[in-house]
Amino acid sequence: MKREKETVDDANRGELGAMAASILMKLLYCARMCRFDLLRAICRLASCVHAWTYDCDRRLYKLICYVDSTSHLHLMSWVGDNVLDLSPHIYADADFAGCWETQRSTSGCHNAVEGPYTNFVTYGRSNTQACLSTSTPEAETVACYSAIKDVVIPGLDIWEVLLPGGFIYFFHEDNQAMIRVCETGRNPTMRTLPRNHR
């Protein structure tokens, strides 16, 4: 059965729909450089551009107000170590069913070069998962896989050039159940994980 394209009736159509994409992309450009805290809100609104409503107008207004009231915040990194003391670190996290409409989770990823006196951010991302997870450890596993596939593996070649003395890539995770599954290799409560997420 062919799925109908989502449409919005004229009574509920938002006033900012025509210029929403332009506004959001300008915000996204800045957010990708120095305001990772805005990524989730911008990407969530960007997914509604094709069916813009008055509720989207309200959320965009709140986002602009937040950006205006926090314009003094910016990303700061520092480097104070020898190259031999540095190593790449990646942090991955996910919320469970964060989107109230689709019940899909959101993956977050943060990559940085760290040392005793160094913390230099190289990458940050927030995106909605393409699949529907049935538990928090499952959503965390999908976020972990996404971070390794899209950030760690493509970045190995450049880290070998930038850190010629050798390095260990540190992966940080906060969900104990997911960590235990990775340590033991057993996940009886997520038997369908390989079939759903490959």
Side-chain angles (χ1 to χ4, degrees), residues 37-38 57 78 93 97 99 109 133 183 195:
D37 59 317
L38 301 174
D57 281 349
W78 59 92
D93 201 7
C99 178
C109 173
S133 297
E183 288 173 347
R195 186 172 46 197

Side-chain angles (χ1 to χ4, degrees), residues 148-160:
I148 290 173
K149 177 179 70 82
D150 298 336
V151 181
V152 174
I153 293 174
L156 290 177
D157 290 337
I158 194 146
W159 292 126
E160 288 176 1

